[in-house]
Amino acid sequence: MTGTEILMNVTPQESRVALVENGVLTELHLERTRRRGIVGNIYKGRVVRVLPGMDAAFVDIGLERTAFLHASDVAPVEREELNGHALSGGEAPAAAAGNGTANGGAAPAREGIRELLREGQDVLVQAVKDPLGSKGARLTTYITLPSRNLVLMPNQSNVGVSTRIEDEGVRARLRESIEQLRDELAPQHGFIVRTAAELADYEALYNDTAFLKKVWDSLQEQAASAPPGTEVYADLPLVERILRDMVGVDIERIRIDSRETYQKVCSFVERYLPELIGHIEHYPGERPIFDLFNVEEEIHRALERKVELKSGGYLIFDQTEAMTTVDINTGGFVGHRKLEETIFKTNLEAAQAIGRQLRLRNLGGIIIIDFIDMQDDEHKRQVIRALEKALERDHVKTQICDVSPLGLVEMTRKRTRESLEHQMCEPCQVCGGRGYLKSAETVCYELFREILREVRQYDARELRVLASQNVIDLLLDEESAALAELQSFVGIPIRFQVETLYTQEQFDVVFV
């Protein structure tokens, strides 16, 4: 199987990283200098409001909107006085990293938000979700610091090994090594061994442990003297972060169109990812790198509602604040045999396309897929399996439910950053994001009602209607008979004036 090719387009204003698998664009990561994401960043925040009804608090971390901290994301802590306030930091429950208890029994009763935080308290927090739409960032006090091979969990006691490392001998070796290193270098902290550490030797693990401990000590020292609302740790820039997090991916080639970035990446890789040293290339061509590999065109397609399938069918993607819906249609695909076979083949192709589009568009949260109704249970199972297989290479956590009695598939995909559409687009100034405008005919009839309403309330010698070209053309053409009847009824002349800056829905009725 062909490995992943990474294309990096870097300018002073924006960095874009495209992941191309088997010649097809599957992921696009975008970061703009003016609006860098904050996921992974650590802040010294101040609790500004505690809401027992929501079991949560709002924390000022120096951003435009206060951030949200739920009680489940607050570690039961030993509080240390800092500048007259308590700065949270302490030991998390043993099950914090595993969504369950250590012994498989019932989880202990969780403290309410009032027992954990108070207004005016300083707290060390990490962003786990960027601000999304009208919502502020989501925070946690379970701090994590990643390196290539390890994740440091300050003031926690557990040591874990990635479940993707399946060899029991390797798992035992890694666990033994990291427990020994923890006792030697960082006895108060917990660690997770990442998948990338499967082939790492003791020296590499030692270097990562020492590096992470140094970063944490420096971070704490900075937090002690920093005012509330200060960023005390920023995650790596996009280019380096992508390379660090490409755990277990067979990277065939990395092409970079910026010489300065190429040199930075070479230094970064030489220090942390030596296995990639021979895979990095500087692209000096005059033609833009994304144009050369057809990525720019794929990005434009990823912003459209409709996705064409090779068979002639198509998908329709609709994003709302609560969820994303995907509708599958056979379109021009009529098949060659029975209807059920046509539907099955369309759904199979759609499942593969949906897996790619979810990654490319970075869609998250609740996703409802309306597959074409299938009668055969085996066909349903194969379509679900095809969807799961299409998402196997997705680095974001997903969960898929079986086909419901209504023929819908419900799934979730973890959302930490804005979707591609929300990053690159804004709501239409004309329709306000609805995607539709009132027809000129509808606006004409609204105008008629408004004229009647105004005439009954006020005396006037003449009315002047200001509206868009399309509306006035319709009034003077197809609706001319109705207009003449209205003018006769109100008994005063009505004049019309085209306003070129008005949208189709806008109009004014002015007394003269």
Side-chain angles (χ1 to χ4, degrees):
M1 185 176 188
T2 305
T4 299
E5 188 162 353
I6 298 179
L7 308 177
M8 297 184 176
N9 167 230
V10 182
T11 65
Q13 299 80 28
E14 179 182 65
S15 297
R16 299 187 299 171
V17 179
L19 273 64
V20 179
E21 296 175 358
N22 301 316
V24 178
L25 177 66
T26 55
E27 287 185 27
L28 178 75
H29 299 268
L30 171 69
E31 185 171 85
R32 289 175 175 161
T33 306
R34 290 175 54 195
R35 290 193 302 159
R36 279 196 63 185
I38 66 167
V39 172
N41 293 1
I42 299 173
Y43 299 84
K44 181 179 178 181
R46 174 162 289 176
V47 179
V48 294
R49 200 170 174 202
V50 175
L51 301 172
M54 295 176 64
D55 207 15
F58 286 102
V59 181
D60 179 11
I61 58 173
L63 301 182
E64 184 179 342
R65 291 193 297 268
T66 54
F68 182 81
L69 178 60
H70 192 265
S72 61
D73 292 314
V74 181
V77 297
E78 300 170 359
R79 293 178 169 82
E80 175 187 345
E81 290 302 317
L82 181 69
N83 297 337
H85 297 282
L87 181 71
S88 293
E91 184 173 323
N99 299 325
T101 56
N103 58 8
R110 179 167 50 81
E111 293 180 273
I113 195 69
R114 282 191 184 279
E115 286 73 45
L116 294 166
L117 298 173
R118 67 171 185 274
E119 291 182 7
Q121 177 181 339
D122 290 352
V123 59
L124 200 62
V125 290
Q126 186 168 37
V128 293
K129 282 187 182 179
D130 279 330
L132 299 171
S134 60
K135 300 176 183 176
R138 177 96 184 225
L139 305 175
T140 182
T141 67
Y142 292 108
I143 308 293
T144 57
L145 289 173
S147 67
R148 174 61 172 171
N149 297 307
L150 303 173
V151 176
L152 172 70
M153 300 181 292
N155 303 314
Q156 298 187 33
S157 57
N158 38 332
V159 169
V161 179
S162 168
T163 55
R164 292 189 181 182
I165 300 177
E166 299 177 353
D167 188 297
E168 287 300 327
V170 173
R171 291 177 63 85
R173 173 182 66 81
L174 291 170
R175 181 180 293 277
E176 182 181 347
S177 296
I178 203 62
E179 285 179 347
Q180 182 178 337
L181 287 169
R182 184 188 66 167
D183 293 342
E184 180 183 344
L185 300 175
Q188 296 179 334
H189 307 307
F191 288 90
I192 294 174
V193 181
R194 305 182 73 181
T195 309
E198 185 168 10
L199 301 177
D201 57 19
Y202 187 84
E203 183 181 358
L205 295 176
Y206 179 93
N207 291 337
D208 270 23
T209 305
F211 168 74
L212 290 173
K213 177 64 165 56
K214 186 176 180 180
V215 170
W216 173 246
D217 291 343
S218 173
L219 187 157
Q220 279 195 305
E221 188 177 322
Q222 185 178 344
S225 58
T230 301
E231 177 185 282
V232 294
Y233 170 83
D235 202 0
L236 291 170
L238 176 67
V239 169
E240 288 93 336
R241 190 170 68 241
I242 290 294
L243 295 178
R244 180 196 68 193
D245 293 339
M246 287 286 103
V247 176
V249 175
D250 177 20
I251 298 176
E252 185 178 276
R253 188 181 295 118
I254 302 166
R255 299 179 193 251
I256 308 170
D257 66 358
S258 161
R259 182 166 294 279
E260 182 183 352
T261 304
Y262 167 75
Q263 291 169 347
K264 287 181 180 177
V265 168
C266 285
S267 298
F268 179 81
V269 163
E270 191 174 341
R271 181 174 180 183
Y272 298 108
L273 310 169
E275 69 274 16
L276 294 179
I277 288 175
H279 298 263
I280 306 171
E281 293 180 10
H282 173 240
Y283 172 74
E286 291 185 6
R287 189 179 176 190
I289 189 171
F290 275 22
D291 287 357
L292 185 66
F293 292 89
N294 205 33
V295 171
E296 210 69 69
E297 185 180 339
E298 287 291 328
I299 294 171
H300 291 308
R301 287 181 188 165
L303 296 175
E304 296 176 357
R305 285 182 70 225
K306 189 173 182 179
V307 176
E308 301 282 356
L309 301 176
K310 290 181 181 178
S311 65
Y314 62 90
L315 315 175
I316 297 291
F317 284 80
D318 281 309
Q319 283 190 69
T320 68
E321 191 164 342
M323 67 180 70
T324 297
T325 61
V326 187
D327 186 36
I328 294 100
N329 298 274
T330 54
F333 181 50
V334 295
H336 301 289
R337 297 181 184 176
K338 297 187 297 183
L339 174 63
E340 177 70 16
E341 196 68 25
T342 301
I343 290 172
F344 174 54
K345 287 186 176 179
T346 303
N347 282 340
L348 271 182
E349 187 183 3
Q352 294 169 350
I354 289 168
R356 173 177 171 251
Q357 290 293 328
L358 293 182
R359 295 174 64 187
L360 180 54
R361 296 168 185 246
N362 194 25
L363 296 172
I366 299 171
I367 299 164
I368 305 295
I369 305 172
D370 184 10
F371 284 107
I372 306 168
D373 289 342
M374 295 173 286
Q375 303 301 319
D376 191 320
D377 289 340
E378 180 57 30
H379 285 175
K380 293 178 184 179
R381 281 192 290 272
Q382 288 188 44
V383 167
I384 292 292
R385 177 62 193 134
L387 181 60
E388 290 172 343
K389 187 173 179 61
L391 290 168
E392 280 179 357
R393 293 174 68 88
D394 193 351
H395 311 294
V396 178
K397 183 179 179 182
T398 57
Q399 184 175 351
I400 304 172
C401 300
D402 286 333
V403 180
S404 75
L406 296 177
L408 304 175
V409 172
E410 300 169 18
M411 65 169 289
T412 60
R413 186 173 185 269
K414 187 176 180 182
R415 178 166 57 185
T416 57
R417 301 179 191 274
E418 292 273 22
S419 68
L420 187 65
E421 179 182 293
H422 288 162
Q423 281 184 301
M424 298 185 67
C425 305
E426 62 182 23
C428 172
Q429 302 272 334
V430 178
C431 72
R434 297 198 314 269
Y436 296 95
L437 285 174
K438 291 178 183 176
S439 68
E441 184 181 33
T442 300
V443 177
C444 283
Y445 299 155
E446 287 184 353
L447 242 171
F448 290 165
R449 288 191 291 272
E450 182 63 21
I451 289 171
L452 288 171
R453 191 179 297 119
E454 298 286 349
V455 166
R456 286 167 181 160
Q457 292 185 35
Y458 307 103
D459 291 327
R461 289 180 290 108
E462 180 180 307
L463 289 178
R464 182 167 297 168
V465 173
L466 285 67
S468 68
Q469 184 75 59
N470 287 348
V471 171
I472 290 180
D473 286 349
L474 189 65
L475 282 169
L476 299 178
D477 186 8
E478 296 176 28
E479 298 295 337
S480 57
L483 179 61
E485 188 178 334
L486 176 67
Q487 191 162 329
S488 172
F489 179 79
V490 299
I492 55 176
I494 303 173
R495 312 286 183 208
F496 298 94
Q497 180 178 325
V498 173
E499 284 292 332
T500 56
L501 296 179
Y502 277 22
T503 69
Q504 188 163 286
E505 294 186 352
Q506 287 180 293
F507 63 83
D508 282 307
V509 178
V510 180
F511 293 106
V512 179

